[in-house]
Amino acid sequence: MSNNKRRTFLKGSIAAGAVGIAAAAGLLSPVRVLAAWPADAFTLRNHEASLTAVTGTSDLPAGDIEIFAPEIAENGAMVSVTIESGMPDVSEMALFVVQNGQPLAATFLLGASAQPMVSIRVKMAETSDVVAAVKSDGAWYGASREVKVTLGGCGG
């Protein structure tokens, strides 16, 4: 038994050492992973500006997009929202909460074989439209749904 524990410990130590060396050499740099992150879009305070920063326009045509969210959220601190699309070749999705101080809630980059569905919990300061943007075949489409909030979640 003690030989198995020793071997497990040695394997773990060697693996941790290899990861440490790779990180020190710059091979595991988070900058490379987050290179496409739209940092500016997350700091914008206006919905139209935020939407334009992500999609290139503030006027999105309707698409085959469904937003699943409660009609009335009793607690705005945690509102479940799911975006699903039946469009082909979906490569990106984004979620906006129009009345929040920072409207862009999330962006998602989808792989070629990913199912076009994402789910997230967001904070909502007040009753607001929730807007989903979906990029299909290189073009952006949108859908919106109102969610009424009875108790604010962003400090309210």
Side-chain angles (χ1 to χ4, degrees), residues 68-92:
F68 300 98
E71 196 172 305
I72 299 174
E74 292 184 19
N75 184 356
M78 189 169 58
V79 180
S80 293
V81 179
T82 299
I83 306 168
E84 198 168 335
S85 177
M87 295 185 292
D89 299 321
V90 173
S91 59
E92 295 181 52

Side-chain angles (χ1 to χ4, degrees), residues 8-154:
T8 301
F9 174 75
L10 287 173
K11 286 180 187 177
S13 298
I14 291 169
V19 169
I21 291 170
L27 298 175
L28 297 177
S29 174
V31 172
R32 292 182 187 164
V33 174
L34 300 174
W37 185 61
D40 293 340
F42 279 101
T43 61
L44 295 172
R45 304 248 181 230
N46 177 286
H47 167 66
E48 286 81 18
S50 182
L51 185 62
T52 301
V54 173
T55 67
T57 181
S58 63
D59 186 29
L60 298 177
D64 184 9
I65 303 167
E66 288 190 67
I67 301 172
F68 300 98
E71 196 172 305
I72 299 174
E74 292 184 19
N75 184 356
M78 189 169 58
V79 180
S80 293
V81 179
T82 299
I83 306 168
E84 198 168 335
S85 177
M87 295 185 292
D89 299 321
V90 173
S91 59
E92 295 181 52
M93 292 181 157
L95 179 69
F96 301 84
V97 180
V98 175
Q99 295 300 323
N100 275 4
Q102 293 175 313
L104 179 56
T107 60
F108 303 92
L109 298 175
L110 303 168
S113 62
Q115 181 178 0
M117 183 196 82
V118 295
S119 188
I120 187 172
R121 289 187 180 136
V122 296
K123 286 186 176 183
M124 294 183 64
E126 60 187 272
T127 297
S128 176
D129 282 340
V130 173
V131 177
V134 174
K135 189 175 185 180
S136 170
D137 282 331
W140 285 96
Y141 299 89
S144 68
R145 176 188 174 128
E146 183 183 57
V147 176
K148 295 178 182 168
V149 175
T150 57
L151 177 65
C154 296

